[in-house]
PDB file of all heavy atoms in Angstrom:
ATOM      1  N   ILE N   1      45.128   6.321   6.647  1.00  0.00           N
ATOM      2  CA  ILE N   1      44.188   6.684   7.792  1.00  0.00           C
ATOM      3  C   ILE N   1      43.858   8.107   7.657  1.00  0.00           C
ATOM      4  O   ILE N   1      44.584   8.954   6.852  1.00  0.00           O
ATOM      5  CB  ILE N   1      44.921   6.460   9.180  1.00  0.00           C
ATOM      6  CG1 ILE N   1      46.196   7.440   9.244  1.00  0.00           C
ATOM      7  CG2 ILE N   1      45.273   5.131   9.454  1.00  0.00           C
ATOM      8  CD1 ILE N   1      46.817   7.527  10.638  1.00  0.00           C
ATOM      9  N   THR N   2      42.885   8.600   8.310  1.00  0.00           N
ATOM     10  CA  THR N   2      42.501  10.050   8.354  1.00  0.00           C
ATOM     11  C   THR N   2      42.364  10.282   9.923  1.00  0.00           C
ATOM     12  O   THR N   2      41.539   9.660  10.593  1.00  0.00           O
ATOM     13  CB  THR N   2      41.205  10.338   7.733  1.00  0.00           C
ATOM     14  OG1 THR N   2      41.330   9.964   6.353  1.00  0.00           O
ATOM     15  CG2 THR N   2      40.854  11.729   7.768  1.00  0.00           C
ATOM     16  N   GLU N   3      42.992  11.278  10.383  1.00  0.00           N
ATOM     17  CA  GLU N   3      42.849  11.661  11.754  1.00  0.00           C
ATOM     18  C   GLU N   3      41.773  12.602  11.917  1.00  0.00           C
ATOM     19  O   GLU N   3      41.396  13.452  11.115  1.00  0.00           O
ATOM     20  CB  GLU N   3      44.177  12.453  12.239  1.00  0.00           C
ATOM     21  CG  GLU N   3      45.416  11.598  12.093  1.00  0.00           C
ATOM     22  CD  GLU N   3      46.700  12.362  12.625  1.00  0.00           C
ATOM     23  OE1 GLU N   3      46.482  13.378  13.368  1.00  0.00           O
ATOM     24  OE2 GLU N   3      47.806  11.923  12.401  1.00  0.00           O
ATOM     25  N   TRP N   4      40.911  12.326  13.192  1.00  0.00           N
ATOM     26  CA  TRP N   4      39.777  13.165  13.290  1.00  0.00           C
ATOM     27  C   TRP N   4      39.901  13.982  14.546  1.00  0.00           C
ATOM     28  O   TRP N   4      40.565  13.545  15.664  1.00  0.00           O
ATOM     29  CB  TRP N   4      38.568  12.124  13.528  1.00  0.00           C
ATOM     30  CG  TRP N   4      38.220  11.327  12.341  1.00  0.00           C
ATOM     31  CD1 TRP N   4      38.859  10.192  11.808  1.00  0.00           C
ATOM     32  CD2 TRP N   4      37.156  11.490  11.414  1.00  0.00           C
ATOM     33  NE1 TRP N   4      38.346   9.713  10.752  1.00  0.00           N
ATOM     34  CE2 TRP N   4      37.203  10.528  10.453  1.00  0.00           C
ATOM     35  CE3 TRP N   4      36.147  12.490  11.267  1.00  0.00           C
ATOM     36  CZ2 TRP N   4      36.356  10.403   9.393  1.00  0.00           C
ATOM     37  CZ3 TRP N   4      35.257  12.314  10.372  1.00  0.00           C
ATOM     38  CH2 TRP N   4      35.362  11.376   9.267  1.00  0.00           C
ATOM     39  N   ASP N   5      39.265  15.178  14.534  1.00  0.00           N
ATOM     40  CA  ASP N   5      39.276  16.016  15.707  1.00  0.00           C
ATOM     41  C   ASP N   5      37.881  16.026  16.138  1.00  0.00           C
ATOM     42  O   ASP N   5      36.898  16.045  15.399  1.00  0.00           O
ATOM     43  CB  ASP N   5      39.659  17.458  15.224  1.00  0.00           C
ATOM     44  CG  ASP N   5      41.140  17.594  14.759  1.00  0.00           C
ATOM     45  OD1 ASP N   5      41.997  16.608  15.253  1.00  0.00           O
ATOM     46  OD2 ASP N   5      41.421  18.409  14.025  1.00  0.00           O
ATOM     47  N   ASP N   6      37.799  16.064  17.509  1.00  0.00           N
ATOM     48  CA  ASP N   6      36.475  16.099  18.172  1.00  0.00           C
ATOM     49  C   ASP N   6      36.001  17.401  18.766  1.00  0.00           C
ATOM     50  O   ASP N   6      37.001  18.148  19.336  1.00  0.00           O
ATOM     51  CB  ASP N   6      36.401  14.984  19.267  1.00  0.00           C
ATOM     52  CG  ASP N   6      36.481  13.647  18.746  1.00  0.00           C
ATOM     53  OD1 ASP N   6      36.145  13.303  17.608  1.00  0.00           O
ATOM     54  OD2 ASP N   6      37.007  12.734  19.400  1.00  0.00           O
ATOM     55  N   PHE N   7      34.882  17.857  18.738  1.00  0.00           N
ATOM     56  CA  PHE N   7      34.310  19.186  19.301  1.00  0.00           C
ATOM     57  C   PHE N   7      32.953  18.766  19.835  1.00  0.00           C
ATOM     58  O   PHE N   7      32.295  17.795  19.368  1.00  0.00           O
ATOM     59  CB  PHE N   7      34.307  20.187  18.233  1.00  0.00           C
ATOM     60  CG  PHE N   7      35.598  20.630  17.514  1.00  0.00           C
ATOM     61  CD1 PHE N   7      35.888  19.877  16.357  1.00  0.00           C
ATOM     62  CD2 PHE N   7      36.306  21.443  18.159  1.00  0.00           C
ATOM     63  CE1 PHE N   7      37.075  20.299  15.737  1.00  0.00           C
ATOM     64  CE2 PHE N   7      37.584  21.750  17.618  1.00  0.00           C
ATOM     65  CZ  PHE N   7      37.909  21.298  16.364  1.00  0.00           C
ATOM     66  N   THR N   8      32.488  19.488  20.743  1.00  0.00           N
ATOM     67  CA  THR N   8      31.244  19.318  21.453  1.00  0.00           C
ATOM     68  C   THR N   8      30.308  20.393  20.886  1.00  0.00           C
ATOM     69  O   THR N   8      30.685  21.572  20.646  1.00  0.00           O
ATOM     70  CB  THR N   8      31.347  19.386  22.993  1.00  0.00           C
ATOM     71  OG1 THR N   8      31.891  20.664  23.473  1.00  0.00           O
ATOM     72  CG2 THR N   8      32.194  18.164  23.501  1.00  0.00           C
ATOM     73  N   GLY N   9      28.872  20.203  20.912  1.00  0.00           N
ATOM     74  CA  GLY N   9      28.097  21.006  20.625  1.00  0.00           C
ATOM     75  C   GLY N   9      26.629  20.567  20.803  1.00  0.00           C
ATOM     76  O   GLY N   9      26.472  19.536  21.576  1.00  0.00           O
ATOM     77  N   ARG N  10      25.631  21.135  20.269  1.00  0.00           N
ATOM     78  CA  ARG N  10      24.239  20.857  20.594  1.00  0.00           C
ATOM     79  C   ARG N  10      23.435  20.785  19.199  1.00  0.00           C
ATOM     80  O   ARG N  10      23.813  21.628  18.270  1.00  0.00           O
ATOM     81  CB  ARG N  10      23.600  21.803  21.586  1.00  0.00           C
ATOM     82  CG  ARG N  10      24.248  21.578  23.031  1.00  0.00           C
ATOM     83  CD  ARG N  10      23.298  22.154  24.090  1.00  0.00           C
ATOM     84  NE  ARG N  10      23.958  22.004  25.325  1.00  0.00           N
ATOM     85  CZ  ARG N  10      23.703  20.942  26.094  1.00  0.00           C
ATOM     86  NH1 ARG N  10      22.862  19.916  25.693  1.00  0.00           N
ATOM     87  NH2 ARG N  10      24.293  20.687  27.300  1.00  0.00           N
ATOM     88  N   PHE N  11      22.493  20.047  19.182  1.00  0.00           N
ATOM     89  CA  PHE N  11      21.579  19.993  18.002  1.00  0.00           C
ATOM     90  C   PHE N  11      20.490  21.149  18.097  1.00  0.00           C
ATOM     91  O   PHE N  11      20.112  21.687  19.173  1.00  0.00           O
ATOM     92  CB  PHE N  11      20.815  18.715  17.910  1.00  0.00           C
ATOM     93  CG  PHE N  11      21.689  17.502  17.643  1.00  0.00           C
ATOM     94  CD1 PHE N  11      22.311  16.724  18.516  1.00  0.00           C
ATOM     95  CD2 PHE N  11      22.043  17.228  16.222  1.00  0.00           C
ATOM     96  CE1 PHE N  11      23.056  15.673  18.187  1.00  0.00           C
ATOM     97  CE2 PHE N  11      22.812  16.202  15.956  1.00  0.00           C
ATOM     98  CZ  PHE N  11      23.352  15.452  16.859  1.00  0.00           C
ATOM     99  N   ALA N  12      20.154  21.639  16.888  1.00  0.00           N
ATOM    100  CA  ALA N  12      19.137  22.650  16.764  1.00  0.00           C
ATOM    101  C   ALA N  12      18.254  22.352  15.619  1.00  0.00           C
ATOM    102  O   ALA N  12      18.729  21.766  14.580  1.00  0.00           O
ATOM    103  CB  ALA N  12      19.790  24.017  16.650  1.00  0.00           C
ATOM    104  N   ALA N  13      16.930  22.832  15.647  1.00  0.00           N
ATOM    105  CA  ALA N  13      16.150  22.471  14.576  1.00  0.00           C
ATOM    106  C   ALA N  13      16.370  23.423  13.419  1.00  0.00           C
ATOM    107  O   ALA N  13      16.824  24.655  13.613  1.00  0.00           O
ATOM    108  CB  ALA N  13      14.642  22.665  15.088  1.00  0.00           C
ATOM    109  N   VAL N  14      16.137  22.954  12.296  1.00  0.00           N
ATOM    110  CA  VAL N  14      16.353  23.809  11.015  1.00  0.00           C
ATOM    111  C   VAL N  14      15.345  24.947  11.051  1.00  0.00           C
ATOM    112  O   VAL N  14      15.707  26.133  10.785  1.00  0.00           O
ATOM    113  CB  VAL N  14      16.215  22.918   9.767  1.00  0.00           C
ATOM    114  CG1 VAL N  14      16.278  23.743   8.473  1.00  0.00           C
ATOM    115  CG2 VAL N  14      17.253  21.913   9.666  1.00  0.00           C
ATOM    116  N   ASP N  15      14.185  24.548  11.319  1.00  0.00           N
ATOM    117  CA  ASP N  15      12.977  25.653  11.484  1.00  0.00           C
ATOM    118  C   ASP N  15      12.360  25.585  12.752  1.00  0.00           C
ATOM    119  O   ASP N  15      12.108  24.514  13.284  1.00  0.00           O
ATOM    120  CB  ASP N  15      11.979  25.346  10.302  1.00  0.00           C
ATOM    121  CG  ASP N  15      12.656  25.539   8.862  1.00  0.00           C
ATOM    122  OD1 ASP N  15      13.211  26.582   8.623  1.00  0.00           O
ATOM    123  OD2 ASP N  15      12.306  24.700   8.132  1.00  0.00           O
ATOM    124  N   SER N  16      12.074  26.666  13.341  1.00  0.00           N
ATOM    125  CA  SER N  16      11.269  26.814  14.616  1.00  0.00           C
ATOM    126  C   SER N  16      10.393  27.975  14.545  1.00  0.00           C
ATOM    127  O   SER N  16      10.752  29.086  14.112  1.00  0.00           O
ATOM    128  CB  SER N  16      12.415  26.950  15.931  1.00  0.00           C
ATOM    129  OG  SER N  16      11.595  27.028  17.045  1.00  0.00           O
ATOM    130  N   VAL N  17       9.053  27.616  14.852  1.00  0.00           N
ATOM    131  CA  VAL N  17       8.039  28.662  14.605  1.00  0.00           C
ATOM    132  C   VAL N  17       7.212  28.859  15.815  1.00  0.00           C
ATOM    133  O   VAL N  17       6.758  27.843  16.426  1.00  0.00           O
ATOM    134  CB  VAL N  17       7.097  28.504  13.430  1.00  0.00           C
ATOM    135  CG1 VAL N  17       6.036  29.466  13.321  1.00  0.00           C
ATOM    136  CG2 VAL N  17       8.026  28.362  12.145  1.00  0.00           C
ATOM    137  N   ASP N  18       7.136  30.079  16.352  1.00  0.00           N
ATOM    138  CA  ASP N  18       6.126  30.325  17.423  1.00  0.00           C
ATOM    139  C   ASP N  18       4.720  30.736  16.712  1.00  0.00           C
ATOM    140  O   ASP N  18       4.600  31.625  16.001  1.00  0.00           O
ATOM    141  CB  ASP N  18       6.595  31.609  18.180  1.00  0.00           C
ATOM    142  CG  ASP N  18       7.727  31.315  19.132  1.00  0.00           C
ATOM    143  OD1 ASP N  18       7.772  30.132  19.594  1.00  0.00           O
ATOM    144  OD2 ASP N  18       8.405  32.232  19.481  1.00  0.00           O
ATOM    145  N   VAL N  19       3.765  29.872  16.968  1.00  0.00           N
ATOM    146  CA  VAL N  19       2.502  29.965  16.248  1.00  0.00           C
ATOM    147  C   VAL N  19       1.721  30.983  16.955  1.00  0.00           C
ATOM    148  O   VAL N  19       1.403  30.932  18.173  1.00  0.00           O
ATOM    149  CB  VAL N  19       1.760  28.574  16.354  1.00  0.00           C
ATOM    150  CG1 VAL N  19       0.402  28.771  15.559  1.00  0.00           C
ATOM    151  CG2 VAL N  19       2.567  27.500  15.607  1.00  0.00           C
ATOM    152  N   ARG N  20       1.294  32.012  16.164  1.00  0.00           N
ATOM    153  CA  ARG N  20       0.423  33.059  16.719  1.00  0.00           C
ATOM    154  C   ARG N  20      -0.730  33.241  15.902  1.00  0.00           C
ATOM    155  O   ARG N  20      -0.801  32.843  14.727  1.00  0.00           O
ATOM    156  CB  ARG N  20       1.183  34.450  16.620  1.00  0.00           C
ATOM    157  CG  ARG N  20       2.331  34.573  17.648  1.00  0.00           C
ATOM    158  CD  ARG N  20       3.090  35.840  17.534  1.00  0.00           C
ATOM    159  NE  ARG N  20       3.912  36.225  18.644  1.00  0.00           N
ATOM    160  CZ  ARG N  20       5.215  35.730  18.576  1.00  0.00           C
ATOM    161  NH1 ARG N  20       5.678  35.218  17.697  1.00  0.00           N
ATOM    162  NH2 ARG N  20       6.034  36.132  19.775  1.00  0.00           N
ATOM    163  N   ALA N  21      -1.837  33.821  16.457  1.00  0.00           N
ATOM    164  CA  ALA N  21      -3.065  34.042  15.710  1.00  0.00           C
ATOM    165  C   ALA N  21      -2.890  35.371  14.988  1.00  0.00           C
ATOM    166  O   ALA N  21      -2.156  36.227  15.414  1.00  0.00           O
ATOM    167  CB  ALA N  21      -4.217  34.059  16.759  1.00  0.00           C
ATOM    168  N   ARG N  22      -3.614  35.447  13.681  1.00  0.00           N
ATOM    169  CA  ARG N  22      -3.500  36.596  12.954  1.00  0.00           C
ATOM    170  C   ARG N  22      -4.785  37.495  13.261  1.00  0.00           C
ATOM    171  O   ARG N  22      -4.766  38.552  12.637  1.00  0.00           O
ATOM    172  CB  ARG N  22      -3.442  36.189  11.411  1.00  0.00           C
ATOM    173  CG  ARG N  22      -2.127  35.487  11.079  1.00  0.00           C
ATOM    174  CD  ARG N  22      -2.084  35.382   9.572  1.00  0.00           C
ATOM    175  NE  ARG N  22      -0.821  34.654   9.090  1.00  0.00           N
ATOM    176  CZ  ARG N  22      -0.361  34.559   7.963  1.00  0.00           C
ATOM    177  NH1 ARG N  22      -1.144  34.986   6.883  1.00  0.00           N
ATOM    178  NH2 ARG N  22       0.656  33.947   7.645  1.00  0.00           N
ATOM    179  N   VAL N  23      -5.704  36.893  13.866  1.00  0.00           N
ATOM    180  CA  VAL N  23      -6.880  37.824  14.378  1.00  0.00           C
ATOM    181  C   VAL N  23      -7.134  37.570  15.730  1.00  0.00           C
ATOM    182  O   VAL N  23      -6.722  36.571  16.312  1.00  0.00           O
ATOM    183  CB  VAL N  23      -8.021  37.369  13.455  1.00  0.00           C
ATOM    184  CG1 VAL N  23      -7.990  37.749  12.002  1.00  0.00           C
ATOM    185  CG2 VAL N  23      -8.387  35.899  13.680  1.00  0.00           C
ATOM    186  N   SER N  24      -7.772  38.634  16.333  1.00  0.00           N
ATOM    187  CA  SER N  24      -8.175  38.576  17.700  1.00  0.00           C
ATOM    188  C   SER N  24      -9.377  37.855  17.863  1.00  0.00           C
ATOM    189  O   SER N  24     -10.362  37.854  17.008  1.00  0.00           O
ATOM    190  CB  SER N  24      -8.106  39.982  18.365  1.00  0.00           C
ATOM    191  OG  SER N  24      -6.938  40.666  18.173  1.00  0.00           O
ATOM    192  N   GLY N  25      -9.560  37.321  19.096  1.00  0.00           N
ATOM    193  CA  GLY N  25     -10.882  36.574  19.355  1.00  0.00           C
ATOM    194  C   GLY N  25     -10.648  35.502  20.384  1.00  0.00           C
ATOM    195  O   GLY N  25      -9.478  35.372  21.132  1.00  0.00           O
ATOM    196  N   TYR N  26     -11.835  34.900  20.841  1.00  0.00           N
ATOM    197  CA  TYR N  26     -11.694  33.782  21.845  1.00  0.00           C
ATOM    198  C   TYR N  26     -11.450  32.403  21.207  1.00  0.00           C
ATOM    199  O   TYR N  26     -12.068  32.031  20.151  1.00  0.00           O
ATOM    200  CB  TYR N  26     -13.067  33.838  22.514  1.00  0.00           C
ATOM    201  CG  TYR N  26     -13.127  34.990  23.437  1.00  0.00           C
ATOM    202  CD1 TYR N  26     -13.889  36.102  22.957  1.00  0.00           C
ATOM    203  CD2 TYR N  26     -12.756  34.974  24.894  1.00  0.00           C
ATOM    204  CE1 TYR N  26     -14.009  37.292  23.769  1.00  0.00           C
ATOM    205  CE2 TYR N  26     -12.954  36.073  25.559  1.00  0.00           C
ATOM    206  CZ  TYR N  26     -13.603  37.190  25.153  1.00  0.00           C
ATOM    207  OH  TYR N  26     -13.771  38.377  25.853  1.00  0.00           O
ATOM    208  N   VAL N  27     -10.676  31.679  21.800  1.00  0.00           N
ATOM    209  CA  VAL N  27     -10.280  30.289  21.296  1.00  0.00           C
ATOM    210  C   VAL N  27     -11.538  29.434  21.540  1.00  0.00           C
ATOM    211  O   VAL N  27     -12.188  29.276  22.607  1.00  0.00           O
ATOM    212  CB  VAL N  27      -9.119  29.679  22.100  1.00  0.00           C
ATOM    213  CG1 VAL N  27      -8.909  28.289  21.587  1.00  0.00           C
ATOM    214  CG2 VAL N  27      -7.807  30.545  21.951  1.00  0.00           C
ATOM    215  N   ASP N  28     -11.854  28.870  20.312  1.00  0.00           N
ATOM    216  CA  ASP N  28     -13.136  28.005  20.314  1.00  0.00           C
ATOM    217  C   ASP N  28     -12.741  26.576  20.288  1.00  0.00           C
ATOM    218  O   ASP N  28     -13.542  25.766  20.977  1.00  0.00           O
ATOM    219  CB  ASP N  28     -13.805  28.349  18.979  1.00  0.00           C
ATOM    220  CG  ASP N  28     -15.245  27.742  18.991  1.00  0.00           C
ATOM    221  OD1 ASP N  28     -15.862  27.734  20.021  1.00  0.00           O
ATOM    222  OD2 ASP N  28     -15.737  27.240  17.906  1.00  0.00           O
ATOM    223  N   LYS N  29     -11.697  26.044  19.787  1.00  0.00           N
ATOM    224  CA  LYS N  29     -11.318  24.667  19.703  1.00  0.00           C
ATOM    225  C   LYS N  29      -9.776  24.616  19.576  1.00  0.00           C
ATOM    226  O   LYS N  29      -9.073  25.442  19.055  1.00  0.00           O
ATOM    227  CB  LYS N  29     -11.906  24.108  18.434  1.00  0.00           C
ATOM    228  CG  LYS N  29     -13.406  23.841  18.434  1.00  0.00           C
ATOM    229  CD  LYS N  29     -13.868  23.309  17.112  1.00  0.00           C
ATOM    230  CE  LYS N  29     -15.332  23.241  17.058  1.00  0.00           C
ATOM    231  NZ  LYS N  29     -15.858  22.596  15.781  1.00  0.00           N
ATOM    232  N   VAL N  30      -9.358  23.495  20.235  1.00  0.00           N
ATOM    233  CA  VAL N  30      -7.915  23.033  20.151  1.00  0.00           C
ATOM    234  C   VAL N  30      -8.033  21.696  19.467  1.00  0.00           C
ATOM    235  O   VAL N  30      -8.544  20.678  20.054  1.00  0.00           O
ATOM    236  CB  VAL N  30      -7.252  23.015  21.488  1.00  0.00           C
ATOM    237  CG1 VAL N  30      -5.767  22.516  21.297  1.00  0.00           C
ATOM    238  CG2 VAL N  30      -7.268  24.392  22.238  1.00  0.00           C
ATOM    239  N   THR N  31      -7.408  21.648  18.260  1.00  0.00           N
ATOM    240  CA  THR N  31      -7.622  20.389  17.456  1.00  0.00           C
ATOM    241  C   THR N  31      -6.273  19.482  17.174  1.00  0.00           C
ATOM    242  O   THR N  31      -6.210  18.872  16.225  1.00  0.00           O
ATOM    243  CB  THR N  31      -8.125  20.674  16.052  1.00  0.00           C
ATOM    244  OG1 THR N  31      -7.394  21.721  15.501  1.00  0.00           O
ATOM    245  CG2 THR N  31      -9.620  21.378  16.353  1.00  0.00           C
ATOM    246  N   PHE N  32      -5.324  19.694  18.216  1.00  0.00           N
ATOM    247  CA  PHE N  32      -4.123  18.827  17.941  1.00  0.00           C
ATOM    248  C   PHE N  32      -3.697  18.200  19.252  1.00  0.00           C
ATOM    249  O   PHE N  32      -4.145  18.586  20.349  1.00  0.00           O
ATOM    250  CB  PHE N  32      -2.841  19.756  17.406  1.00  0.00           C
ATOM    251  CG  PHE N  32      -2.464  20.775  18.464  1.00  0.00           C
ATOM    252  CD1 PHE N  32      -1.338  20.448  19.287  1.00  0.00           C
ATOM    253  CD2 PHE N  32      -3.013  21.930  18.646  1.00  0.00           C
ATOM    254  CE1 PHE N  32      -0.779  21.193  20.304  1.00  0.00           C
ATOM    255  CE2 PHE N  32      -2.555  22.799  19.622  1.00  0.00           C
ATOM    256  CZ  PHE N  32      -1.377  22.348  20.463  1.00  0.00           C
ATOM    257  N   GLU N  33      -3.089  17.059  19.197  1.00  0.00           N
ATOM    258  CA  GLU N  33      -2.428  16.352  20.302  1.00  0.00           C
ATOM    259  C   GLU N  33      -1.151  16.963  20.652  1.00  0.00           C
ATOM    260  O   GLU N  33      -0.210  16.859  19.832  1.00  0.00           O
ATOM    261  CB  GLU N  33      -2.445  14.892  20.103  1.00  0.00           C
ATOM    262  CG  GLU N  33      -2.071  14.114  21.304  1.00  0.00           C
ATOM    263  CD  GLU N  33      -2.190  12.595  21.072  1.00  0.00           C
ATOM    264  OE1 GLU N  33      -2.802  12.124  19.872  1.00  0.00           O
ATOM    265  OE2 GLU N  33      -1.877  11.849  21.984  1.00  0.00           O
ATOM    266  N   GLU N  34      -0.805  17.333  21.880  1.00  0.00           N
ATOM    267  CA  GLU N  34       0.428  17.893  22.238  1.00  0.00           C
ATOM    268  C   GLU N  34       1.560  16.863  22.012  1.00  0.00           C
ATOM    269  O   GLU N  34       1.492  15.798  22.304  1.00  0.00           O
ATOM    270  CB  GLU N  34       0.333  18.425  23.643  1.00  0.00           C
ATOM    271  CG  GLU N  34      -0.692  19.345  23.923  1.00  0.00           C
ATOM    272  CD  GLU N  34      -0.883  19.833  25.450  1.00  0.00           C
ATOM    273  OE1 GLU N  34      -0.875  18.825  26.153  1.00  0.00           O
ATOM    274  OE2 GLU N  34      -0.867  21.009  25.756  1.00  0.00           O
ATOM    275  N   GLY N  35       2.689  17.343  21.571  1.00  0.00           N
ATOM    276  CA  GLY N  35       3.791  16.620  21.284  1.00  0.00           C
ATOM    277  C   GLY N  35       3.928  15.642  20.154  1.00  0.00           C
ATOM    278  O   GLY N  35       4.938  14.883  20.134  1.00  0.00           O
ATOM    279  N   THR N  36       2.976  15.796  19.313  1.00  0.00           N
ATOM    280  CA  THR N  36       2.968  14.927  18.127  1.00  0.00           C
ATOM    281  C   THR N  36       3.427  15.639  16.814  1.00  0.00           C
ATOM    282  O   THR N  36       3.730  16.790  16.952  1.00  0.00           O
ATOM    283  CB  THR N  36       1.538  14.409  17.865  1.00  0.00           C
ATOM    284  OG1 THR N  36       0.697  15.577  17.583  1.00  0.00           O
ATOM    285  CG2 THR N  36       0.886  13.680  19.079  1.00  0.00           C
ATOM    286  N   LEU N  37       3.581  14.764  15.867  1.00  0.00           N
ATOM    287  CA  LEU N  37       4.117  15.376  14.499  1.00  0.00           C
ATOM    288  C   LEU N  37       3.001  15.889  13.778  1.00  0.00           C
ATOM    289  O   LEU N  37       1.775  15.447  13.778  1.00  0.00           O
ATOM    290  CB  LEU N  37       4.893  14.313  13.826  1.00  0.00           C
ATOM    291  CG  LEU N  37       6.104  13.647  14.389  1.00  0.00           C
ATOM    292  CD1 LEU N  37       6.562  12.482  13.428  1.00  0.00           C
ATOM    293  CD2 LEU N  37       7.243  14.855  14.533  1.00  0.00           C
TER     294      LEU N  37
END
C-alpha cells in the first residue's frame, strides 16, 4: 500500500493575459463570441 495525504487548494490557469490595444483609437469592430475558445 501507499498512504496518501490530502490537501485543499484551487486551480489556476497556466497563462492568463489581459488583452490591451497597442495603439489608441476608437473601437470599430468586435469579432469574437464571449466565453468561447
Side-chain angles (χ1 to χ4, degrees):
I1 64 169
T2 299
E3 298 183 16
W4 295 79
D5 296 331
D6 294 336
F7 301 94
T8 57
R10 292 191 180 275
F11 288 95
V14 175
D15 298 311
S16 178
V17 177
D18 287 334
V19 180
R20 290 180 169 87
R22 297 191 180 186
V23 293
S24 300
Y26 289 90
V27 177
D28 191 38
K29 296 178 182 177
V30 179
T31 57
F32 70 96
E33 186 176 351
E34 298 173 318
T36 60
L37 296 176

